């Protein structure tokens, strides 16, 4: 069968699609790069915002118009709205998050064991740029109840994957030649709490770093309350990417309480200080919600001042959107939409400025860039490369050779403000090319 795989939303969805790619290949099916070529499509949906939910529905309609025979839908939107999704034209099967690890087995009516694919290297999902890095799912679900969050409702309680399975996935990815492994989960920091022999994310990372063939390890979003100053000692290993994504959501203590976030601005600031002391030039990025129910002008100004003080290296700023089924959607004091948008714009301005200041310190420096893609340059026979440093600086330049999936030292000579990327010069080429 020809199968088209697609996903919307988080890295966890991405890593699940990669696992389906391996299992489908192990079962002898062919992955195709376009819906139009497919007999069957699997879509991993998202519901974190109204926009993500609408994109998910749009993909299903697109697949139906493209004439895909069988559409199988999983993910957060199909978990919270199963009947509505099943009624959509072309949708044959909805598999909720709780059972998505068995999706391919259920879809092909095969025992899960038959899909175990040791030795089957990690598959590149056609159409994706995943030759360079692998998203490895280590944990799913969440036991927290942040009042704005639909994910905890859609993904269920926290559950950790065993170390053996995680190491197998990482080995399969390294066998496929990836240069960077990204650990991902819904509530990554809770990994290990629920295992028969409870363990910590710190111990898992230390175990993974024992793989001496592992070039680069990146840790995805971490809830700040799971961390302590000792966690940052892991970064003595230079293969750990100097990037911490710590969702703050609001810099106002009273708003954080209404969000049921287990952190205070003061404790957040202490963690950031400790991280910056122990990890030189670390990039600290975050998520922020503007216009949370009941947010007064004073609370907004308090939060804004805190965000300015922390000086993030980047931020995703979300305009609050009430997700049906969450406590925040039922809260009094819903903020007018124009004010939510206005506050988002102000927050973006502040975080864009601090991000630019963070980037500027690297001008004229030599950094290690993992080149993600090489496409033919518009002019001449050269190649347009784009890549990322470990601390999330984007770099673009034109080269004589397609250096995709390679790490090279590169001198950063120019910084383009918006979209933000560096250009520069590769200072040393790998012997292998
Ligand atoms: S920690 Fe909060 S925001 Fe994150 S997934 Fe859990 S409930 Fe949602």
């Amino acid at each position: 069968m020809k199968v088209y795989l697609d996903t919307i939303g988080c890295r966890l969805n991405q890593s699940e699609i990669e696992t389906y790619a391996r299992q489908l290949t192990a079962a002898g099916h062919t992955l195709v790069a376009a819906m139009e070529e497919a007999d069957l499509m699997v879509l991993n949906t998202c519901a974190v915002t109204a926009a993500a939910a609408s994109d998910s529905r749009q993909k299903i309609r697109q697949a139906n118009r493209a004439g895909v025979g069988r559409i199988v839908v999983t993910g957060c939107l199909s978990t919270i709205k199963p009947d509505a999704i099943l009624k959509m034209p072309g949708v044959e099967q909805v598999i909720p998050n709780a059972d998505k690890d068995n999706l391919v087995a259920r879809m092909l009516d095969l025992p899960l064991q038959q899909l175990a694919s040791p030795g089957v290297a990690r598959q590149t999902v056609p159409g994706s740029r995943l030759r360079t890095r692998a998203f490895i799912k280590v944990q799913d679900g969440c036991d927290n109840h942040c009042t704005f969050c639909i994910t905890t409702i859609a993904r269920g309680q926290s559950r950790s994957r065993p170390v053996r399975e995680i190491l197998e996935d990482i080995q399969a990815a390294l066998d496929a030649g990836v240069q960077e492994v990204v650990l991902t989960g819904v509530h990554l920091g809770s990994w290990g709490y629920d295992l028969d022999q409870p363990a910590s994310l710190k111990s898992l990372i230390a175990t993974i770093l024992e793989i001496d063939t592992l070039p680069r390890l990146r840790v995805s979003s971490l809830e700040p309350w799971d961390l302590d100053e000792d966690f940052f000692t892991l970064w003595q290993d230079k293969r750990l990417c100097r990037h911490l994504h710590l969702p703050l959501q609001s810099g106002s203590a009273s708003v954080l309480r209404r969000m049921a976030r287990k952190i205070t601005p003061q404790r957040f600031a202490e963690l950031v200080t400790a991280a910056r002391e122990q990890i030189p030039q670390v990039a600290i990025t975050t998520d922020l919600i503007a216009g949370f129910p009941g947010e007064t002008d004073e609370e907004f100004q308090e939060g804004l001042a805190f965000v300015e003080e922390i000086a993030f290296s980047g931020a995703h700023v979300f305009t609050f959107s009430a997700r049906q089924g969450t406590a925040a959607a039922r809260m009094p004091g819903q903020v007018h939409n124009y004010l939510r948008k206005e506050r988002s714009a102000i927050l973006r301005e502040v975080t864009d400025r601090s991000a630019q200041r963070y980037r500027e310190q690297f001008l004229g420096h030599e950094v290690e860039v993992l080149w993600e893609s090489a496409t033919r340059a518009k002019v001449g026979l050269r190649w347009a490369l784009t890549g990322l440093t470990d601390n999330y600086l984007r770099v673009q330049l034109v080269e004589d050779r397609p250096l995709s999936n390679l790490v090279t030292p590169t001198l950063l000579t120019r910084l383009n403000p918006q979209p933000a990327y560096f250009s520069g010069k590769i200072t040393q080429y790998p012997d292998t090319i």
Side-chain angles (χ1 to χ4, degrees):
M1 207 166 29
K2 291 184 185 149
V3 183
Y4 177 72
L5 299 171
D6 206 343
T7 181
I8 303 217
C10 63
R11 289 173 166 179
L12 194 56
N13 269 12
Q14 186 74 57
S15 77
E16 287 153 353
I17 280 287
E18 289 170 29
T19 302
Y20 299 156
R22 259 177 86 199
Q23 293 172 334
L24 285 159
T25 307
H29 296 282
T30 309
L31 307 178
V32 292
M35 287 181 187
E36 293 70 20
E37 302 165 40
D39 308 312
L40 180 146
M41 168 171 143
V42 176
L43 177 65
N44 203 350
T45 59
C46 177
V48 75
T49 61
S54 149
D55 292 349
S56 300
R57 287 193 181 86
Q58 182 56 23
K59 282 264 177 173
I60 296 170
R61 282 191 283 273
Q62 215 182 325
N64 188 49
R65 282 197 302 276
V68 177
R70 296 173 62 189
I71 303 173
V72 175
V73 184
T74 187
C76 294
L77 181 64
S78 66
T79 301
I80 58 174
K81 301 252 182 228
D83 303 337
I85 298 297
L86 200 54
K87 284 199 194 94
M88 291 187 73
V91 175
E92 176 190 283
Q93 208 173 1
V94 165
I95 300 192
N97 279 341
D99 203 22
K100 70 188 320 180
D101 291 345
N102 304 322
L103 178 139
V104 176
R106 279 185 58 178
M107 200 170 68
L108 302 179
D109 201 14
L110 289 173
L112 194 57
Q113 300 81 306
Q114 207 171 318
L115 298 170
S117 43
V120 173
R122 184 182 146 271
Q123 298 302 310
T124 303
V125 178
S128 71
R129 279 190 306 168
L130 286 171
R131 274 185 303 278
T132 57
R133 64 159 66 103
F135 297 122
I136 304 292
K137 174 179 179 173
V138 303
Q139 180 275 347
D140 201 344
C142 181
D143 297 337
N144 296 293
H145 302 288
C146 303
T147 53
F148 54 81
C149 183
I150 195 75
T151 310
T152 185
I153 298 169
R155 288 259 180 187
Q157 70 185 79
S158 179
R159 46 210 189 275
S160 306
R161 292 184 71 207
V163 176
R164 179 186 51 71
E165 280 182 26
I166 296 168
L167 294 178
E168 243 175 45
D169 275 7
I170 291 175
Q171 197 51 55
L174 295 176
D175 295 346
V178 302
Q179 294 295 316
E180 182 178 299
V181 163
V182 184
L183 302 185
T184 185
V186 172
H187 182 205
L188 195 52
S190 69
W191 180 86
Y193 296 175
D194 58 318
L195 293 175
D196 296 345
Q197 290 171 316
S200 71
L201 179 65
K202 184 166 184 274
S203 69
L204 175 65
I205 293 173
T207 303
I208 293 170
L209 288 171
E210 285 167 15
I211 306 172
D212 47 25
T213 54
L214 173 78
R216 235 153 86 148
L217 180 64
R218 191 179 296 279
V219 182
S220 290
S221 184
L222 291 166
E223 296 299 351
W225 54 81
D226 293 318
L227 309 182
D228 59 19
E229 283 72 0
D230 182 54
F231 182 78
F232 305 126
T233 57
L234 285 164
W235 271 260
Q236 285 158 19
D237 189 314
K238 299 300 173 220
R239 292 172 297 161
L240 254 181
C241 293
R242 296 167 302 155
H243 177 212
L244 291 169
H245 188 76
L246 308 178
L248 173 67
Q249 306 299 1
S250 173
S252 154
S254 47
V255 174
L256 284 174
R257 279 194 296 278
R258 290 202 301 282
M259 289 176 166
R261 301 282 290 170
K262 300 175 183 167
I263 191 87
T264 62
Q266 190 207 348
R267 178 62 188 146
F268 189 94
E270 287 165 7
L271 284 168
V272 168
T273 305
R276 284 175 172 157
E277 278 163 5
Q278 295 188 51
I279 313 171
Q281 298 180 317
V282 62
I284 302 207
T285 59
T286 196
D287 296 335
L288 296 166
I289 295 175
F292 187 76
E295 187 184 63
T296 62
D297 287 343
E298 294 71 31
E299 285 176 328
F300 177 66
Q301 291 308 327
E302 176 201 353
L304 187 65
F306 182 79
V307 167
E308 203 137 22
E309 183 198 317
I310 294 290
F312 288 103
S313 321
H316 301 144
V317 177
F318 297 92
T319 303
F320 175 75
S321 82
R323 308 301 296 135
Q324 200 194 342
T326 63
R330 299 187 295 274
M331 278 183 189
Q334 299 284 326
V335 177
H336 285 293
N337 203 22
Y338 79 88
L339 198 48
R340 290 184 222 171
K341 289 195 171 142
E342 189 182 287
R343 288 176 179 171
S344 299
I346 296 168
L347 273 172
R348 280 196 193 94
E349 237 178 80
V350 166
T351 49
D352 284 352
R353 266 204 311 274
S354 60
Q356 182 67 4
R357 280 201 308 278
Y358 175 76
R359 286 188 283 269
E360 279 163 359
Q361 67 180 294
F362 296 96
L363 259 181
H365 287 240
E366 188 180 77
V367 294
E368 298 278 322
V369 177
L370 168 53
W371 299 107
E372 293 177 339
S373 72
T375 50
R376 275 288 179 201
K378 291 199 180 70
V379 186
L381 295 175
R382 306 189 75 200
W383 294 86
L385 307 186
T386 180
L388 268 182
T389 64
D390 72 313
N391 57 336
Y392 238 70
L393 303 175
R394 180 143 308 274
V395 185
Q396 297 179 5
L397 47 76
V398 175
E399 260 293 327
D400 298 335
R401 284 160 284 188
L403 297 177
S404 179
N405 202 26
L406 287 168
V407 176
T408 72
T410 304
L411 180 65
L412 303 181
T413 56
R414 199 174 67 80
L415 174 54
N416 185 72
Q418 261 325 320
Y421 64 84
F422 286 89
S423 44
K425 189 177 170 347
I426 292 178
T427 53
Q428 194 187 331
Y429 292 88
D431 309 335
T432 51
I433 56 166

